[in-house]
Amino acid sequence: MEVIAIDGPAGSGKSTVARAIAVRLGREYLDTGAMYRSVAFAALRRGVDPTDDEPVGRVARDVEMEVRGDGSVVVDGVDATIEIRGPEVTRAVSLVAANPAVRTELRARQREWAKARGGGVIEGRDIGTVVFPDAALKVYLDARPEVRAARRSNEVRELSYETVATDLARRDALDQGRADSPLATADDAFVVDTSEMGVEAIVDTVLAELERRR
Ligand code: DC
């Protein structure tokens, strides 16, 4: 099994880079952020308060989700592709992701996903540190906060740059400060600051490192 783990904060270029690497390697791609977003979506849809740990844990255990490589997501039979990226889910997701019962369930689903495919390219916050400590390559992508906010701001045009930057800083703090598998750099991670780099250059750098480690 060969797992390529790609971790980092929002706006670091993870999704774009992980997708491109999967294409170049002919492997499948899993966006684990979309899985946490799907649990948040399902909880909101069922009227469960995202701060209510036990019921949210139950939602994580019995929700049916299909997170596809093309970015589309089906949650309990409903197409949630657009809504999981919306402001409501984005506000709730850090709380849901700090819930240990949710993390236990999603970790198990992520390991099953990889096992069924003999590995793949998996992006998230704790993939190299916690979920796949034996990954063939652990990449940690980062970028300066203002660069990350500008990238996110370009994706969500209905919100102002200030709103996006504030929300990003809030989520960074929550993701790095939570007790259960916080966003962190693995000791043996390949760290890339993408602030001044284009997608092709990042992909080439990561693939060169993979070759070196293989
Ligand atoms: O990458 P994203 O913005 O779609 O991730 C959504 C949220 O999920 C983010 O606030 C952190 C959380 N997350 C996590 O805790 N662990 C992961 N492996 C992936 C995402």
Side-chain angles (χ1 to χ4, degrees):
M1 175 155 108
E2 186 180 67
V3 169
I4 317 289
I6 306 199
D7 291 308
S12 58
K14 279 193 318 287
S15 300
T16 312
V17 169
R19 255 195 215 105
I21 287 173
V23 169
R24 291 269 286 267
L25 294 174
R27 302 307 305 262
E28 282 189 67
Y29 154 72
L30 179 63
D31 174 0
T32 64
M35 297 174 76
Y36 286 93
R37 288 172 180 275
S38 295
V39 174
F41 170 83
L44 293 170
R45 203 162 154 259
R46 293 176 194 191
V48 171
D49 181 342
T51 63
D52 234 346
D53 273 5
E54 222 214 281
V56 175
R58 242 177 287 134
V59 171
R61 282 189 294 274
D62 65 37
V63 69
E64 261 180 57
M65 64 168 86
E66 209 181 314
V67 173
R68 303 192 185 120
D70 65 0
S72 67
V73 172
V74 178
V75 180
D76 286 333
V78 176
D79 185 341
T81 309
I82 307 287
E83 265 186 281
I84 62 157
R85 307 281 164 203
E88 240 194 312
V89 169
T90 299
R91 259 195 308 274
V93 70
S94 294
L95 281 168
V96 168
N99 182 327
V102 173
R103 302 205 70 86
T104 301
E105 173 63 26
L106 295 192
R107 265 198 303 268
R109 293 193 191 202
Q110 289 152 16
R111 288 175 181 142
E112 272 167 33
W113 183 95
K115 198 167 161 215
R117 290 162 180 79
V121 180
I122 308 183
E123 72 147 288
R125 301 290 192 288
D126 62 340
I127 305 307
T129 48
V130 176
V131 189
F132 297 99
D134 299 326
L137 176 63
K138 302 171 187 177
V139 180
Y140 188 92
L141 297 184
D142 209 349
R144 292 194 305 276
E146 69 276 16
V147 173
R148 296 193 287 109
R151 286 175 183 163
R152 264 297 139 95
S153 183
N154 277 331
E155 288 166 15
V156 279
R157 295 195 175 273
E158 60 275 19
L159 300 177
S160 72
Y161 171 83
E162 282 70 29
T163 306
V164 171
T166 307
D167 179 64
L168 206 100
R170 185 186 64 85
R171 281 210 291 145
D172 281 357
L174 287 169
D175 293 340
Q176 288 162 0
R178 67 169 175 245
D180 190 343
S181 32
L183 171 65
T185 317
D187 290 338
D188 50 351
F190 179 58
V191 181
V192 184
D193 183 337
T194 68
S195 299
E196 313 292 338
M197 290 172 87
V199 176
E200 279 308 305
I202 308 167
V203 170
D204 289 343
T205 306
V206 170
L207 288 175
E209 181 65 15
L210 176 64
E211 275 311 308
R212 210 179 61 76
R213 296 202 188 188
R214 266 173 176 169

